[in-house]
Amino acid sequence: MGKKKPTPEEDLIIPPQDTRICGIICVCQLTFVLSTVAIVYLTVAIYMPSSRAFKSGIDETPVMCTTTRALNQDACEWGSCGEWCLSKTSGACIQIYVHLRMNGSSLLFTNCTNSANKTCYGIDQENAKKSRCIADECKNLTGTFNCSAGMCINITDAFECVFKNTDPPLKCSGRRGKITCIDITGLFSCNRGTCRKIRTPYNCDRRCVDIPTRNKNMILLSGDKVYLSQCSSAIDMETKQEVWNEAEDKVIMSSCYNIQNTSLGIEAIDCVNGSVLEKTELTDLTNFTYLSYLHYAVSKPIKVIAPQEQDLTLSNESRLMINLEGCVNTLQDECKEFLKEFGKDGTDHNARARFPCYYSKSKMQQVVARFDLETTYRQFVFGFFVPTILFGVSCLTLIFCQRTIVVGDDAKMRFVGCANKNPVVANGGAKNQDKANSGDGGGGGDSAFLSCKKIVHKASLTHSRQSMNVSDGEERPPTREELIAEFLDKAKFYTSLCLGTTAILSVFAFLFLIPFVVDPAISTIVADYDPVPVTCVVTDHVYAEGMRNCTWSSCREGCTTAAIRCHQLLVNYTKIAFHEWHKHPRDLDSIEWDVMDTKFLVNTEGCGYPPRVNCSEFAKQYGYSHVGEPFPCYYSRAYPEIVVARYSWDDNLKHLILSLIIPNVLFAVSIGVLSYWYCPCCDKACHKSPRVYAEKYPTKENKLLCRSDDEEDELDY
């Protein structure tokens, strides 16, 4: 079978359009909508924060902050960091308070030899091994343990605790050991599963020993690190003056923020509490606790070496925020890393966080960790001019197209300019039109000839009526048809405005529904939960506080905020349907569980929003006194380790369909109606003529006849 021949242009009902004109109009409309959405979003994300940054009066020169307190709050007026700015003040949060001071001295130690450094590691709360007593993991505990709600961490290797009194022993081994120690909390001294709670007062110091101090005359403390060396002199890098020399035969000590070994020597940045110590106070080896004691209690302060911290203090307690807004919009767990780094307040016996920060002299009670006016200015300029220019160019281009592009009687768009937009006018219009079309192709018939005469006659009558009205000087009152047409034009304008607003809002709604509804619904479908509830039993319920302890949570109120207080529930489940279990109960000790000690979540995401998700009620329903009681749950056939408390295929599918259909249908209908009204090609395509393309053009003979009739009508007039 041969290739089908293309239809000739003269036989087409709608002629081929100029792709350049259609492409420009479509691209400009798309750019107009996207730039409008971008401007609205950037107003909240960039314009308003940038304006506040420019007016804040914060000095770009950083000063130093030291974390003093990190508090977990249920109801927050402010928070140090929020993952989403729209919900930054809702729910629980962490509030970090810092000590604000001016920068210390920068010292250069020259001719240093025999250098050494020692890092005194504390307990990493996130990665430390935890023993869960409910899982019978406390039966062999030996050493010093820090326990919280039945979960114990071994601190024997990191801390040395001195105490006198203890509570009566608790036996965490044996048949009832895990029940006895299910919720122990505090500091315990254990020996083969028998634990005694240490009573206050007690003292726990970091066990950091074997720090070499022999032949060392320079000791610098920097957080959990100790730097030691044998140097000849110390020079203030700002004044270039020598502040210490080895000829004094004393040991120089200081606390510095950063220490680097360079080609010039050892550079120490932001040093405070400079002092000197007699060499007789040191032995060959020492420990971190004793070294800190010598620095703060025994050594002699020398302000020339480095100023004392209290002399540099600007504010004893200021609020720390990640930025001026106290939140970020990246949804990449930035706050989790921020709180992990800046929330170290020393309560875990590790060094407190010490870092550069920024403040305003008029508002010292608040400091920020991130502030860069140059970057803020670049973001503002880029975020303002790019969408604004795109918006203006696309808008002006659409207006220009509307004024200069017309659709002829052949349903084809042409660029004719503003002067020729109405080619048929009253006086001489037919002649000009004929001259313009004198080079067109032939074809046509009587219909084209009759239409030509009709147009000329109508134009002549219109011209005569206008002349009479002008000569009489009277204004003709609008007719009913004109009033209706004016009303329809106004209705079309306001309807277009509403449709444009609906299109923009539907785009925003769909963008918000993607993370809150669409993504969880798709995750639920992918997980492929068994619609028939099976039987579950909670084996462990842990209530924890703090970012370090809440690495996961069975329930979170708010999906964009980090968990600060969390309930962690572990369950065993069997694939026996719960309704069968309810009819014929089994012995829990004899049942063979399909999966044991797996995480139990309130739903697929493990989070939600009140009143649908209430974590306190969730914990009361499944945890606490209900541990060990059978209840219905749903497991994932694709990922058997996932178990949820709530699942409904119908509700999940309904929410997914509605979130996909409603905003997209509103957007499509709005854009479709606007395109039908204002896009010339769409308007002509919907008003098709039954005549073929060739019948719309008069032949040369008809043009000549039309021209002669036009001249006769002018003479008669």
Side-chain angles (χ1 to χ4, degrees), residues 517 521 525 612 648-662:
V517 178
I525 294 175
R612 182 175 178 81
S648 174
W649 169 262
D650 296 335
D651 291 344
N652 183 71
L653 188 62
K654 179 181 69 175
H655 294 157
L656 178 62
I657 293 176
L658 291 178
S659 60
L660 290 176
I661 290 180
I662 292 178

Side-chain angles (χ1 to χ4, degrees), residues 370-442:
R370 300 178 183 176
F371 187 79
D372 188 349
L373 278 181
E374 184 178 353
T375 302
T376 302
Y377 180 76
R378 288 200 304 266
Q379 292 177 350
F380 176 80
V381 171
F382 182 82
F384 178 79
F385 283 103
V386 171
T388 303
I389 291 174
L390 291 176
F391 175 84
V393 171
S394 59
C395 184
L396 292 176
T397 304
L398 291 175
I399 295 175
F400 179 77
C401 292
Q402 193 268 339
R403 303 292 295 177
T404 59
I405 295 176
V406 297
V407 181
D409 292 337
D410 58 349
K412 188 171 183 178
M413 291 188 295
R414 291 182 177 85
F415 178 80
V416 296
C418 298
N420 298 326
K421 190 171 181 180
N422 297 318
V424 179
V425 294
N427 191 9
K431 290 182 179 181
N432 296 334
Q433 181 68 14
D434 291 338
K435 291 179 182 179
N437 294 332
S438 61
D440 291 346

Side-chain angles (χ1 to χ4, degrees), residues 101-314:
R101 64 169 175 82
M102 298 296 292
N103 295 317
S105 301
S106 295
L107 302 177
L108 174 63
F109 295 89
T110 60
N111 300 325
C112 295
T113 59
N114 195 21
S115 299
N117 65 79
K118 178 80 171 181
T119 301
C120 300
Y121 295 100
I123 296 296
D124 188 349
Q125 299 287 341
E126 293 186 2
N127 300 320
K129 182 181 178 181
K130 301 178 178 64
S131 300
R132 296 184 297 114
C133 295
I134 189 62
D136 205 18
E137 296 176 354
C138 299
K139 59 183 178 181
N140 294 319
L141 295 184
T142 299
T144 305
F145 289 83
N146 186 19
C147 301
S148 176
M151 184 173 293
C152 299
I153 300 176
N154 191 349
I155 65 172
T156 307
D157 295 335
F159 296 95
E160 181 179 2
C161 296
V162 178
F163 56 91
K164 293 182 178 180
N165 301 322
T166 61
D167 287 345
L170 297 175
K171 192 174 182 180
C172 298
S173 58
R175 295 184 59 183
R176 296 190 56 83
K178 60 182 181 180
I179 304 299
T180 304
C181 301
I182 190 174
D183 58 352
I184 58 175
T185 300
L187 193 64
F188 287 82
S189 176
C190 302
N191 184 20
R192 295 184 179 181
T194 301
C195 298
R196 293 176 172 84
K197 185 175 182 179
I198 300 175
R199 292 182 179 179
T200 55
Y202 60 83
N203 182 40
C204 291
D205 294 323
R206 270 186 290 184
R207 193 188 298 271
C208 186
V209 297
D210 298 336
I211 299 177
T213 56
R214 184 179 181 182
N215 297 327
K216 303 292 190 299
N217 61 1
M218 183 270 287
I219 300 176
L220 300 179
L221 304 178
S222 179
D224 294 325
K225 298 180 179 180
V226 182
Y227 292 83
L228 308 97
S229 186
Q230 178 77 24
C231 301
S232 61
S233 64
I235 300 174
D236 191 317
M237 297 177 64
E238 294 182 1
T239 61
K240 306 300 181 182
Q241 295 181 356
E242 184 179 271
V243 295
W244 172 86
N245 193 283
E246 64 177 346
E248 299 178 12
D249 198 28
K250 293 183 179 180
V251 178
I252 181 174
M253 300 186 71
S254 183
S255 174
C256 303
Y257 169 65
N258 189 22
I259 302 171
Q260 297 178 347
N261 195 354
T262 66
S263 58
L264 299 177
I266 297 178
E267 294 184 2
I269 309 300
D270 184 52
C271 295
V272 295
N273 299 328
S275 61
V276 292
L277 180 70
E278 297 293 339
K279 286 187 175 182
T280 56
E281 298 289 344
L282 295 176
T283 58
D284 292 345
L285 298 173
T286 187
N287 60 72
F288 185 83
T289 302
Y290 183 66
L291 205 58
S292 300
Y293 166 75
L294 292 177
H295 181 212
Y296 291 102
V298 179
S299 63
K300 180 181 178 181
I302 304 295
K303 294 184 179 181
V304 177
I305 298 176
Q308 298 300 300
E309 190 170 12
Q310 59 267 24
D311 297 336
L312 301 175
T313 299
L314 296 173

Side-chain angles (χ1 to χ4, degrees), residues 426-428 456-471 709-717:
N427 191 9
V456 173
H457 181 65
K458 184 176 180 180
S460 300
L461 292 176
T462 303
H463 178 72
S464 62
R465 290 175 182 174
Q466 291 177 351
S467 301
M468 293 175 63
N469 290 336
V470 172
S471 61
D709 291 340
D710 186 16
E711 294 175 354
E712 292 177 0
D713 290 339
E714 289 182 355
L715 293 174
D716 294 340
Y717 180 74

Side-chain angles (χ1 to χ4, degrees), residues 634-698:
Y634 302 88
Y635 77 97
S636 170
R637 289 178 288 201
Y639 310 101
E641 68 277 4
I642 298 179
V643 184
V644 297
R646 302 174 185 175
Y647 171 72
S648 174
W649 169 262
D650 296 335
D651 291 344
N652 183 71
L653 188 62
K654 179 181 69 175
H655 294 157
L656 178 62
I657 293 176
L658 291 178
S659 60
L660 290 176
I661 290 180
I662 292 178
N664 287 285
V665 168
L666 290 176
F667 177 80
V669 170
S670 302
I671 295 299
V673 174
L674 292 175
S675 300
Y676 172 76
W677 280 348
Y678 298 103
C679 183
C681 57
C682 297
D683 184 48
K684 288 296 181 181
C686 295
H687 294 82
K688 297 180 180 179
S689 174
R691 296 181 298 168
V692 297
Y693 180 53
E695 292 178 351
K696 295 187 177 183
Y697 293 93

